[in-house]
Amino acid sequence: MTLIIRPATPDDIDQMIALLLLDAEERQRENPVLWKVAPDASNQIAKALTFAVTAEQQPFQQLWRLAKSDGQLVGVAHAMRLPVPPIYAGPQGDPGLILPDCVTAPGAPAGTVDALMEVAESELSETGAKILLSSLVTQNEWAATSKRRGYTPITLYLSKSGLAAGPSASTVRPATEQDIPGIVARSAEHRAILFSIDPFWEIHPKADARFAAWMTRSLTLRDRDMLVLGDASALEGYAIAQPASRLHFPPAHDITGVGVLDDFYHRDIADPDALPPDARGARSLLHAAEAAFTARDIDTAFFVCPADWTSKLDLLTAAGYQTAMTWSMKRLEG
């Protein structure tokens, strides 16, 4: 059977919806709470696809590619150029990201996944991507193909549902403007550890000023909780408990009950290789962030953690978190 791979068009959307719903249901079987399929999933997928294949002005450069065999849709690949966060230097430019809503139909011809990944990688490279990332939830053929093509884990996304409310340590409190310098100082330590783990996280020369501006702005945003531990003059750590975004969740999923912890650091995890036996401060800060989510009727936390930051992983694993998604990286030659 001949396999044809081409860009998606508006005429393909109805067929794509059916296949992407199957993909969303597979994720839901992995974790029914985190990957809950929205009641209007078909409409949400249709809206996202229509925008992606028709809008001339888009915030991110993305691509949808289809695999067809004997006229039947047998696979879909979704990829984009991912803007480098402003606190990182990104000397090799915006990486290419192969997103988790890549899927093949049951009975797709052998080699369909590999062919779709080859096209996605090639086209991302043609747009200037020097680093490629793949985002995977289920350990299926896409995960096996990603590993075979040279991707290795760079970031883990860990999840925990059934968050418990209750009192937090008295030393954890809401951040104020006076805490911004301390948050920036701890963030600088956090960034330095990331860079020591992998040069992928090269620090931007203006990172401190940019992060300070964002933290000051974040104090005015009512959809998140900014928590700190310690006095402003000697801050030990900080956590930003914020709502989930579409970057990590395909449009079929309901994310209203999910919160994200990306900005989280405490000096207890300053050694990336070993967690102190007590780590009371880091545990208190984590519990306070979870309590902040429950106060907003958010039941599930999604925690962003570098794959090789062992002490942070140990902290989360002990608290009941499990890996729900993995981003893996591949550096292109040349």
Side-chain angles (χ1 to χ4, degrees):
M1 292 183 289
T2 302
L3 193 67
I4 297 174
I5 298 179
R6 62 167 176 80
T9 71
D11 292 337
D12 299 309
I13 289 177
D14 286 345
Q15 291 185 68
M16 293 172 70
I17 290 171
L19 192 52
L20 291 168
L21 278 173
L22 289 176
D23 179 50
E25 290 164 359
E26 183 180 2
R27 277 188 296 276
Q28 184 173 243
R29 285 191 290 273
E30 287 286 317
N31 187 326
V33 178
L34 178 65
W35 302 109
K36 179 182 177 182
V37 175
D40 61 342
S42 293
N43 290 336
Q44 294 302 320
I45 294 172
K47 286 168 57 179
L49 288 175
T50 301
F51 179 78
V53 301
T54 63
E56 294 184 2
Q57 299 295 326
Q58 302 191 33
F60 307 115
Q61 184 179 358
Q62 62 177 317
L63 60 88
W64 284 93
R65 295 296 178 263
L66 308 184
K68 288 205 165 188
S69 178
D70 293 337
Q72 299 299 310
L73 179 64
V74 295
V76 172
H78 184 202
M80 62 180 284
R81 292 294 298 278
L82 181 69
V84 175
I87 60 174
Y88 299 110
Q92 293 182 293
D94 294 345
L97 172 62
I98 299 174
L99 289 137
D101 49 355
C102 295
V103 59
T104 50
T112 300
V113 172
D114 200 63
L116 281 167
M117 286 198 71
E118 176 67 31
V119 168
E121 289 181 359
S122 177
E123 294 195 25
L124 288 169
S125 177
E126 289 173 5
T127 68
K130 300 292 191 297
I131 292 175
L132 300 180
L133 303 169
S134 68
S135 177
L136 298 162
V137 173
T138 55
Q139 293 302 308
N140 54 17
E141 187 180 354
W142 287 91
T145 302
S146 175
K147 183 177 180 179
R148 188 172 63 249
R149 294 183 68 86
Y151 290 82
T152 57
I154 183 74
T155 302
L156 303 180
Y157 294 81
L158 296 96
S159 176
K160 177 182 176 181
S161 296
L163 302 180
S168 301
S170 60
T171 49
V172 179
R173 57 181 176 78
T176 67
E177 192 170 352
Q178 287 69 42
D179 295 307
I180 297 298
I183 293 175
V184 173
R186 298 293 77 76
S187 173
E189 293 175 10
H190 179 266
R191 280 177 259 127
I193 295 168
L194 284 173
F195 182 65
S196 73
I197 292 173
D198 195 294
F200 173 73
W201 286 291
E202 184 172 337
I203 304 165
H204 194 281
K206 297 182 179 179
D208 282 357
R210 292 179 174 186
F211 192 71
W214 174 238
M215 289 295 98
T216 301
R217 165 81 172 123
S218 294
L219 284 173
T220 69
L221 302 178
R222 297 184 177 181
D223 64 350
R224 64 201 61 202
D225 293 277
M226 297 177 62
L227 304 170
V228 293
L229 194 155
D231 295 331
S233 60
L235 214 60
E236 298 174 33
Y238 65 95
I240 315 298
Q242 59 194 40
S245 74
R246 280 296 166 200
L247 174 62
H248 303 111
F249 293 82
H253 297 290
D254 179 359
I255 61 174
T256 54
V258 181
V260 172
L261 282 166
D262 187 356
D263 293 306
F264 177 98
Y265 177 74
H266 187 279
R267 283 182 157 174
D268 283 346
I269 55 173
D271 179 354
D273 297 320
L275 185 69
D278 185 2
R280 183 179 303 174
R283 297 184 200 281
S284 295
L285 192 58
L286 178 59
H287 179 68
E290 293 176 350
F293 281 139
T294 63
R296 293 178 179 268
D297 294 324
I298 291 175
D299 181 64
T300 300
F302 201 51
F303 201 114
V304 185
C305 181
D308 292 330
W309 196 324
T310 303
S311 59
K312 187 180 282 192
L313 285 172
D314 288 347
L315 173 75
L316 296 172
T317 301
Y321 286 77
Q322 296 181 329
T323 300
M325 183 167 70
T326 301
W327 280 23
S328 297
M329 181 174 66
K330 174 181 178 177
R331 289 182 169 89
L332 298 179
E333 297 179 1

